[in-house]
Amino acid sequence: MKKINVTLFMLTAVLVGFSSCDSDDSVSDMFEDANGGDVAQNLIAQVTVESNDPTEADRNITVNYASDNSVTSVNDGTDTAIFSYEGGALSQVTGSGDALNIMELYEAPLDAFEIGEVLSYDSNNNPSLLSLVEEEFDGTLTFYEATITYDSEPNPTFYTLQAAGIIEVLDQTELSFSMIPDPAEIVLARMLYPLNNPNGMVIRDESGAVVVTMSINHVYNDDDYPTSSTVTIDSTDDGASAYVLTYTYR
């Protein structure tokens, strides 16, 4: 299996078209359309990840900020990505690890697959149906479809990614980076970015049989941001797993 590195359904193979998503709308505009104009601007300071597997260590993803609330670095306990800006815009990401790893655990069921295409979006322009491809060791390709569902609450990463300059990058792909993906992948990242908060995913094989089920139960604060998320995954290949994400905001 070939593992892909995506962040909130981001950063993978080239996607041909926008399907039902309107490429003329910015991510910011679509986020406001999906959630209204009065979303609280909470910035993620830390996400703690606790697994039910006793052999797996807890993780802390920490986001550091400058006095102007721009993101200076993201650390996952092992690797650190450092953000540099010119004229108020993100110019470079250096260091090690995935610069956009804040929400990577949401994509755990996708780790064995390549994303082939966004087949449809829901009424809020969230990607709701993906085609997936799994490449076996002998080169054989197997095709799947992933159905994604969402809560009505906004994606809690939006303003954090905006503070890191990433939202602007999703709208302006001409910038050059040393560490984050090339423009083709950024185009895909834009198309895959959820405007609401994912609450589940079901992956089916070509016969329609369910091979992976993921459910996410969020507990929200008064600003409609999650304070904790309980993620459970059941896979026909890997069995059951669960973990809890606990959020701290700036």
Side-chain angles (χ1 to χ4, degrees), residues 80 96 109 203 207:
T80 300
S96 57
I203 299 176
S207 71

Side-chain angles (χ1 to χ4, degrees), residues 34-234:
N35 298 288
D38 58 350
V39 178
Q41 298 188 23
N42 291 359
L43 301 176
I44 295 173
Q46 188 174 73
V47 181
T48 299
V49 183
E50 299 175 272
S51 173
N52 68 341
D53 184 347
T55 65
E56 189 172 328
D58 294 348
R59 294 180 55 198
N60 290 303
I61 299 172
T62 302
V63 185
N64 299 302
Y65 297 86
S67 58
D68 63 356
N69 282 336
S70 61
V71 173
T72 58
S73 64
V74 178
N75 177 273
D76 66 0
T78 302
D79 298 315
T80 300
I82 300 170
F83 294 71
S84 301
Y85 304 87
E86 290 183 6
L90 181 65
S91 61
Q92 191 175 36
V93 182
T94 57
S96 57
D98 180 3
L100 304 177
N101 62 7
I102 298 170
M103 300 292 285
E104 65 181 5
L105 290 174
Y106 279 167
E107 305 112 30
L110 297 176
D111 282 350
F113 307 97
E114 294 282 4
I115 298 176
E117 188 177 358
V118 178
L119 299 176
S120 63
Y121 293 81
D122 66 16
S123 59
N124 275 357
N125 270 330
N126 295 298
S128 58
L129 186 63
L130 310 178
S131 66
L132 307 176
V133 182
E134 180 183 35
E135 183 176 0
E136 304 295 346
F137 292 110
D138 63 359
T140 302
L141 300 179
T142 306
F143 297 91
Y144 301 84
E145 287 188 353
T147 302
I148 308 163
T149 55
Y150 301 85
D151 285 346
S152 60
E153 285 78 8
N155 185 334
T157 69
F158 177 82
Y159 288 110
T160 302
L161 294 180
Q162 186 180 70
I166 299 300
I167 296 301
E168 183 178 1
V169 170
L170 296 185
D171 290 332
Q172 300 177 3
T173 63
E174 71 272 19
L175 299 178
S176 176
F177 301 93
S178 66
M179 204 175 108
I180 66 178
D182 63 27
E185 290 174 312
I186 295 174
V187 170
L188 178 60
R190 177 180 173 176
M191 290 187 282
L192 293 177
Y193 186 74
L195 306 171
N196 297 110
N197 202 13
N199 64 22
M201 182 189 304
V202 177
I203 299 176
R204 294 178 172 85
D205 65 17
E206 291 176 285
S207 71
V210 174
V211 296
V212 179
T213 301
M214 179 180 70
S215 63
I216 310 174
N217 181 34
H218 302 286
V219 176
Y220 292 97
N221 61 20
D222 291 340
D223 289 333
D224 289 335
Y225 279 73
T227 55
S228 66
S229 301
T230 301
V231 182
T232 57
I233 301 172
D234 192 4

